Amino acid sequence: MRNKKWFASMTLAAVLAAGMTTTAFADWSKNNDRWYYYNDANGQMVKNDWVQDEGKWYYMDANGVLLMNQMIDDIYYVNENGVMVKEAWVLLRDRWSNEYGWRYFGSNGKAYTDGWKEISGSKYHFTDSVMDTGWFHTDNSTYYLGSSGAMKTGWRKLQAEDEDWGEFWYYFNANGRMEAGGEKKIDGETYLFDGDGKMLTGWVNPSDYTSSDQDNLSTYNVNSLRFYGSGGARAEDWKQKSTPNGEDEGWFYFKAGRAYTTNNGTTKVGKYGMAKIKGETYCFDEQGLMVTGLLELEDGKKFYFEPSSGKMLTGRVVVNDDEHDNEVFYFTTSGALGNKGDGFTGIKSGALYEDGNLVTAEEGMRYQKVKVDGKEYVVNEKGTVKTGGTVKDADGVQYRIEKNSDGSYKITVTE
């Protein structure tokens, strides 16, 4: 059944493709749809060995039959024409697990074994010669290989390994390792990842990775928390947010994710904290909320923070809110943090103030004698201090005002 002259120029692959059922060419022979190969040197049938023909490799089994569509020694693979596969992917079913998996056969025909391999510019990992997919753990590191097996890098929104958790953002560095268990600076912004690699947002307790956005925040103490925006970036500068317990909303000032509060980043003044930010003074309460409007402390000190901006105002200020109808105040313009801006007591620009409030004669009185800080003054309805001479109030009482050498005034009723 041998014929080396017929079809001498044809390869076995061509014969197979043509569906030949007659005598083969060269050293090949076909019998009952099975191919055999005979050695030119001694005419013996080749068994349990490889045969090379026109640059292609074929494997003959123990009976000398050409094998097709199967693994050889769990290392090589021959295709439907019996040709050894090289530099190609093949989807095969494992004979032990009966599961399908992708294998890659290199330039020498051998399947890639355990470990990382770069193929066509992408990295893949193999276990028992089978390409790994999805979440993958090795060497105390976590990777994500997706359904294609190609190692992923950069930001990825993925279903958590425990699918009950839902989808989260993860970050994989240039080496494919997932960031987990701490902060990481990425493209100029700082992000926080829990021990499972999930990017955290909202108010976060870094000690246990609980967060307001996951509804498992372990503490509402803002001094123990950091804030990360909806995109994951750590909060810096001014942000309008809700408090950790969600009960209030307002402006916060963040530095490295921590909010300024009475006990963080500020000078404590009573139960509040004050801080100078970009040349302006602001006030924060215990929750970190920026304070606005007129603030009166337990010790009687008064400060005023502009409602629209939160900036401390000094000097002469007209306050108009639910409790004050165009009332005039004067706040000190110098001093250390916590003292500057306090309500002024004394005469400023001819007007009299007590703890910041403008002191005036009662409406309709024209003039009135008042006592401020232990000293007597006569003021009119605009709060202007009479510094000398005589004046008469609406009741006809006449006052004589004389200025003493120490700057105080002697006030006597003349009729």
Side-chain angles (χ1 to χ4, degrees), residues 21 30 95 113 160 166 190 220 227 278 290 308 326 352-353 355 358-359 362 414:
T21 59
K30 186 176 184 183
R95 63 178 176 172
T113 55
T190 301
Y220 293 145
F227 193 88
K278 299 175 183 178
M290 181 184 76
S308 61
N326 291 320
L352 180 63
Y353 299 88
D355 295 329
L358 178 67
V359 180
E362 293 180 14
T414 58

Side-chain angles (χ1 to χ4, degrees), residues 19-20 50 68 127 159 167-168 291-292 376 388:
M20 297 296 292
W50 288 97
M68 304 176 190
T127 301
Q159 183 76 36
E167 286 189 328
F168 294 91
V291 175
T292 61
E376 291 186 330

Side-chain angles (χ1 to χ4, degrees), residues 68-82:
M68 304 176 190
N69 290 325
Q70 61 183 282
M71 290 288 292
I72 309 298
D73 298 328
D74 287 328
I75 298 175
Y76 305 93
Y77 182 76
V78 290
N79 65 17
E80 68 276 7
N81 293 322

Side-chain angles (χ1 to χ4, degrees), residues 109-363:
K110 292 183 178 181
Y112 281 1
T113 55
D114 296 359
W116 292 101
K117 302 292 182 181
E118 186 167 336
I119 303 170
S120 301
S122 295
K123 285 187 177 181
Y124 299 83
H125 193 275
F126 296 85
T127 301
D128 296 331
S129 295
V130 178
M131 180 191 76
D132 293 302
T133 60
W135 290 101
F136 178 70
H137 304 272
T138 183
D139 300 329
N140 297 319
S141 297
T142 299
Y143 302 82
Y144 188 73
L145 308 177
S147 58
S148 71
M151 184 185 76
K152 309 303 181 187
T153 61
W155 287 104
R156 300 282 168 171
K157 190 174 186 181
L158 303 170
Q159 183 76 36
E161 285 194 86
D162 184 340
E163 295 186 359
D164 292 338
W165 292 352
E167 286 189 328
F168 294 91
W169 282 99
Y170 300 83
Y171 185 80
F172 302 88
N173 65 23
N175 295 319
R177 294 188 185 92
M178 181 187 74
E179 296 294 340
E183 286 189 328
K184 174 70 175 180
K185 195 164 189 176
I186 303 168
D187 297 330
E189 298 285 359
T190 301
Y191 301 83
L192 180 65
F193 302 90
D194 69 9
D196 296 310
K198 298 189 296 291
M199 183 192 78
L200 300 176
T201 58
W203 292 101
V204 179
N205 186 348
S207 67
D208 59 13
Y209 301 121
T210 57
S211 74
S212 58
D213 284 357
Q214 293 189 84
D215 294 325
N216 64 355
L217 195 59
S218 59
T219 178
Y220 293 145
N221 182 357
V222 70
N223 295 298
S224 300
L225 306 176
R226 290 183 186 150
F227 193 88
Y228 298 83
S230 58
R234 190 177 68 188
E236 300 287 347
D237 214 296
W238 291 102
K239 304 290 181 184
Q240 189 172 21
K241 301 294 175 185
S242 295
T243 53
N245 59 17
E247 295 179 356
D248 296 293
E249 183 178 349
W251 285 95
F252 293 81
Y253 185 80
F254 295 97
K255 189 172 184 180
R258 294 197 180 277
Y260 276 17
T261 68
T262 304
N263 300 303
N264 179 57
T266 63
T267 297
K268 194 169 184 178
V269 181
K271 62 179 183 179
Y272 298 91
M274 293 186 188
K276 183 166 279 192
I277 302 171
K278 299 175 183 178
E280 301 288 350
T281 300
Y282 299 86
C283 184
F284 302 90
D285 66 13
E286 293 174 321
Q287 294 189 94
L289 288 166
M290 181 184 76
V291 175
T292 61
L294 187 64
L295 176 67
E296 185 168 359
L297 304 183
E298 292 180 354
D299 61 3
K301 283 187 174 182
K302 294 178 184 175
F303 301 89
Y304 187 73
F305 299 91
E306 187 177 43
S308 61
S309 68
K311 297 176 183 178
M312 174 187 282
L313 299 185
T314 61
R316 188 176 184 273
V317 177
V318 178
V319 177
N320 187 15
D321 55 26
D322 292 341
E323 297 180 1
H324 306 88
D325 184 17
N326 291 320
E327 292 184 35
V328 178
F329 290 79
Y330 193 92
F331 301 97
T332 57
T333 58
S334 62
L337 197 64
N339 291 316
K340 180 180 178 180
D342 180 22
F344 176 75
T345 295
I347 299 173
K348 184 65 66 173
S349 300
L352 180 63
Y353 299 88
E354 183 176 27
D355 295 329
N357 294 78
L358 178 67
V359 180
T360 65
E362 293 180 14
E363 186 176 357

